[in-house]
């Protein structure tokens, strides 16, 4: 796998953070661009304190996720917006939000063709059996908030989908997309108890 050169992304530390796993990097890029579509159009600075707090939390998360994928400029700008909101430097906010919007747009334009090429080349994993060992390992990775949980999810996802049902799986997928590993782990525990109940029922039938 050749790592793509993408304008606006510094690959140096990224490869180390994702253990040189290109598929994982592509997953993170995909999620990052789809989650932040709304910030790629002008955002009006919020007047209401509750909205300001919500935007501040959003910027904090954006700074972290942008840092994770190596989008250093976007990460820095998000931190500046977060600081300005916290310190109520209201004059700076519109300018910073506008810069952030422009950088996100450029980043998305650079990322889109790369994602298109790579997703055509990479077929999605085939569905397979779910073993309790794999689910234990996945659950541990989620509990410890390890980024390797994303890699395991890519492998186990199709099999989990067919066992969880569409609605539960979509909620689980959203948690994974937001890197909300504790929320995802709660839903995984529900799946594990359902599976073990089904297993005991199977064993009772055979007696």
């Amino acid at each position: 796998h050749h790592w793509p050169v993408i304008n606006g992304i510094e690959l140096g530390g990224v490869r180390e953070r994702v253990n040189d796993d290109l598929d994982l990097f592509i997953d993170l890029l995909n999620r990052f661009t789809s989650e932040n579509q709304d910030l790629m159009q002008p955002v009006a600075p919020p007047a209401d304190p509750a909205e300001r707090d919500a935007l501040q939390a959003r910027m904090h998360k954006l700074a972290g996720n942008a840092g994770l994928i190596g989008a250093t400029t976007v990460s820095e700008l998000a931190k500046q917006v977060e600081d300005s909101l916290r310190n109520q430097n209201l004059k700076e906010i519109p300018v910073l939000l506008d810069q952030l919007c422009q950088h996100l747009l450029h980043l998305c334009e650079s990322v889109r063709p790369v994602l298109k090429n790579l997703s055509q080349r990479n077929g999605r994993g085939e569905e397979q059996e779910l073993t309790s060992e794999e689910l234990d390992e996945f659950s541990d990775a989620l509990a410890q908030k390890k980024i390797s949980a994303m890699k395991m999810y890519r492998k186990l996802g199709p099999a989990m989908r067919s066992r969880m049902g569409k609605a539960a799986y979509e909620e689980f997928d959203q948690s994974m997309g937001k890197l909300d590993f504790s929320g995802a782990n709660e839903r995984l525990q529900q799946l594990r108890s359902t599976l073990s109940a089904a297993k005991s029922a199977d064993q009772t039938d055979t007696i």
Side-chain angles (χ1 to χ4, degrees), residues 128-151:
Q128 53 185 35
E129 283 302 308
L130 276 179
T131 67
S132 52
E133 290 77 18
E134 282 175 325
L135 287 175
D136 288 345
E137 198 186 339
F138 185 29
S139 179
D140 288 346
L142 287 172
Q144 291 164 40
K145 295 189 165 39
K146 287 183 177 171
I147 199 72
S148 59
M150 291 296 288
K151 188 176 185 177

Side-chain angles (χ1 to χ4, degrees), residues 164-176:
M164 283 175 114
K166 191 172 177 234
Y169 178 78
E170 277 174 3
E171 284 183 8
F172 183 83
D173 189 54
Q174 277 174 1
S175 298
M176 290 300 291

Side-chain angles (χ1 to χ4, degrees), residues 130 138 153 156-164 169 172 188 191:
L130 276 179
F138 185 29
Y153 175 48
L156 302 176
M160 288 176 66
R161 183 182 186 133
S162 63
R163 285 162 185 76
M164 283 175 114
Y169 178 78
F172 183 83
L188 180 61
L191 172 67

Side-chain angles (χ1 to χ4, degrees), residues 71-206:
T72 320
T73 309
V74 168
S75 182
E76 289 300 327
L77 278 167
K79 277 182 202 149
Q80 286 176 30
V81 177
E82 184 192 359
D83 290 343
S84 300
L85 285 161
R86 185 184 298 112
N87 305 325
Q88 305 213 346
N89 297 340
L90 302 184
K91 278 187 188 146
E92 289 175 7
I93 294 169
V95 182
L96 288 170
L97 279 173
D98 191 49
Q99 287 178 351
L100 180 64
C101 170
Q102 294 305 318
H103 278 283
L104 272 170
L105 267 173
H106 290 313
L107 182 65
C108 199
E109 279 163 18
S110 309
V111 164
R112 198 175 290 124
V114 173
L115 287 179
K116 197 175 173 193
N117 286 342
L118 290 165
S119 61
Q120 281 168 353
R121 201 188 61 200
N122 289 350
R124 276 300 177 200
E126 288 301 304
E127 188 181 315
Q128 53 185 35
E129 283 302 308
L130 276 179
T131 67
S132 52
E133 290 77 18
E134 282 175 325
L135 287 175
D136 288 345
E137 198 186 339
F138 185 29
S139 179
D140 288 346
L142 287 172
Q144 291 164 40
K145 295 189 165 39
K146 287 183 177 171
I147 199 72
S148 59
M150 291 296 288
K151 188 176 185 177
M152 293 179 198
Y153 175 48
R154 208 170 43 247
K155 184 181 162 205
L156 302 176
M160 288 176 66
R161 183 182 186 133
S162 63
R163 285 162 185 76
M164 283 175 114
K166 191 172 177 234
Y169 178 78
E170 277 174 3
E171 284 183 8
F172 183 83
D173 189 54
Q174 277 174 1
S175 298
M176 290 300 291
K178 293 178 194 151
L179 301 181
D180 167 18
F181 287 174
S182 47
N185 206 4
E186 279 172 33
R187 294 192 168 86
L188 180 61
Q189 298 320 316
Q190 291 162 4
L191 172 67
R192 287 169 84 192
S193 54
T194 313
L195 286 176
S196 59
K199 211 171 190 176
S200 347
D202 284 350
Q203 283 163 356
T204 334
D205 288 347
T206 55

